Amino acid sequence: MRKLEFGWFLPTAGDTTAYGVASAQIAPSLALFDKVTAAAEAAGFEYMLVPVQTACWEAWISSAMMVARSKRVRMLVAARPSYINPVLLAKMIAAFDQLSGGRICINLIAGQSEQENASEGIKWGKEERYEIMEEEVSLLKLLWTQPAVTFDGKFHQLKGAQVRPRPFQQPHPPFYLGGGSQQAWEISAKHSDVHLFWGDTYDRIRDNMAVIRQMAAKHGREDKIGFGMRLQIVCRETEQEAWAFAHELVGHASEAQKAFVKERFATSEANRRVRELAATGEVIERNLFTGITRVRPGAGIAVVGTPEQCADTLQDFIDLGCHSFCLSGYLHDEEAERFGKWVMPILRERNLERMLAA
């Protein structure tokens, strides 16, 4: 069985305790990033997810800075199709990997918003972006493992390209992907080390894992692809406190904010699914809350409860076959500290041989 791993989130767009309340907002800053990263390391998290959206600080610069200012945590950084020439991207990742001693992993993101992509000069539609992603990931792997690469693809042509140095991690850093479309699943099946699901019902996660594993088998990777969950956490000493905070977090968001989230990210299959889940009710499984999905894009399904309840919910996903958990919560330094103090020991006791941080 795969070792369990836990990742935390670096809030490069800032932090909050209540969406829609100006006094509750914390602006992004080096001091905030230091505080969150230090809390995550102390709690036993192995990696940090560094986001990419218009509101976020640039991910590669932020990641390099935080690796230099921390001790052991890895950075999960996005490689977005057509943003960076693949030869330069291969050099960037290899240099980062060598200089940090293997503290990078790669998050494959095609982009959740067509408007955002257009605003940043990306002319390709969603389907083409996934085609570009597949070509670029294939190129990265070639560039890291072959002495010279000549390539004639649909989007890229190379003649004798070389990359120095080779990555520290062999044969290359791990790939993560969290998309919900069939195209995303195809790329995960062929290339990913971890497919990260957003929160969903247990039956849906179980069925999707089976489908992706079958797709991976066509590439001889049925046993190589792993699965994980991207979830929010609201953990408090009592269940009443946890639910009170969860409702306060989302209770002040304006209708304009909710409409923006719904419309701006309408073409994303993963965002469509969480909106569908939210329409069914506030809770989709025991202690799984849909409310955050209404006020922010992305993986907003939250585990809400006491330390024991949070551990039970995560254990349910572990028992389904998930081994990687990419988590976040508000405030990010305080929630990381609570998770490390209250939830991690329960999971460690239940899964001692599988806990990478144990």
Side-chain angles (χ1 to χ4, degrees), residues 91-111:
K91 292 179 179 181
M92 288 169 55
I93 294 170
F96 195 120
D97 202 36
Q98 283 288 348
L99 292 170
S100 67
R103 292 170 57 192
I104 188 170
C105 33
I106 306 157
N107 193 20
L108 298 174
I109 296 176

Side-chain angles (χ1 to χ4, degrees), residues 28-245:
S29 68
L30 181 59
L32 173 63
F33 303 166
D34 275 339
K35 188 185 296 185
V36 173
T37 302
E41 280 200 323
F45 289 97
E46 284 88 32
Y47 67 88
M48 301 287 292
L49 172 62
V50 185
V52 284
Q53 277 183 9
T54 300
C56 299
W57 286 21
E58 201 284 315
W60 285 96
I61 299 300
S62 300
S63 297
M65 179 69 78
M66 297 322 298
V67 157
R69 296 170 67 86
S70 56
K71 296 178 181 178
R72 59 167 184 80
V73 72
R74 293 178 287 136
M75 296 290 152
L76 177 56
V77 196
R80 295 188 285 176
S82 76
Y83 267 81
I84 302 174
N85 174 282
V87 179
L88 175 58
L89 183 60
K91 292 179 179 181
M92 288 169 55
I93 294 170
F96 195 120
D97 202 36
Q98 283 288 348
L99 292 170
S100 67
R103 292 170 57 192
I104 188 170
C105 33
I106 306 157
N107 193 20
L108 298 174
I109 296 176
Q112 300 180 50
S113 166
E114 297 306 305
Q115 295 97 320
E116 184 172 83
N117 278 280
S119 74
E120 297 183 357
I122 305 302
K123 63 182 180 179
W124 311 105
K126 180 181 176 181
E127 291 186 1
E128 287 176 308
R129 291 199 303 274
Y130 273 115
E131 285 186 65
I132 297 169
M133 178 187 288
E134 201 288 322
E135 189 169 292
E136 290 183 352
V137 175
S138 297
L139 269 175
L140 290 176
K141 291 183 174 182
L142 286 172
L143 288 162
W144 289 328
T145 57
Q146 302 299 319
V149 174
T150 295
F151 184 86
D152 186 16
K154 180 177 179 180
F155 302 97
H156 299 288
Q157 294 78 41
L158 307 179
K159 295 181 179 180
Q162 300 179 33
V163 168
R164 296 184 184 86
R166 294 298 172 89
F168 180 89
Q169 299 173 82
Q170 290 297 311
H172 50 72
F175 286 93
Y176 293 63
L177 191 150
S181 68
Q182 285 292 312
Q183 276 187 296
W185 289 8
E186 284 285 0
I187 292 176
S188 258
K190 186 174 181 180
H191 291 294
S192 290
D193 297 276
V194 179
H195 185 89
L196 283 172
F197 294 110
W198 293 3
D200 212 315
T201 64
Y202 298 130
D203 286 344
R204 181 72 167 240
I205 296 297
R206 182 186 297 108
D207 291 346
N208 289 351
M209 286 171 63
V211 171
I212 295 174
R213 195 173 280 118
Q214 289 177 347
M215 294 166 74
K218 298 176 183 178
H219 303 285
R221 303 185 72 247
E222 183 177 7
D223 297 325
K224 292 183 179 179
I225 189 167
F227 297 99
M229 298 300 303
R230 171 76 182 98
L231 295 163
Q232 306 284 333
I233 296 286
V234 179
C235 185
R236 298 295 185 272
E237 290 187 276
T238 69
E239 187 172 11
Q240 183 179 4
E241 286 177 283
W243 282 108
F245 180 83

Side-chain angles (χ1 to χ4, degrees), residues 8 112 148 289 321 342:
W8 197 245
Q112 300 180 50
F289 174 57
W342 293 344

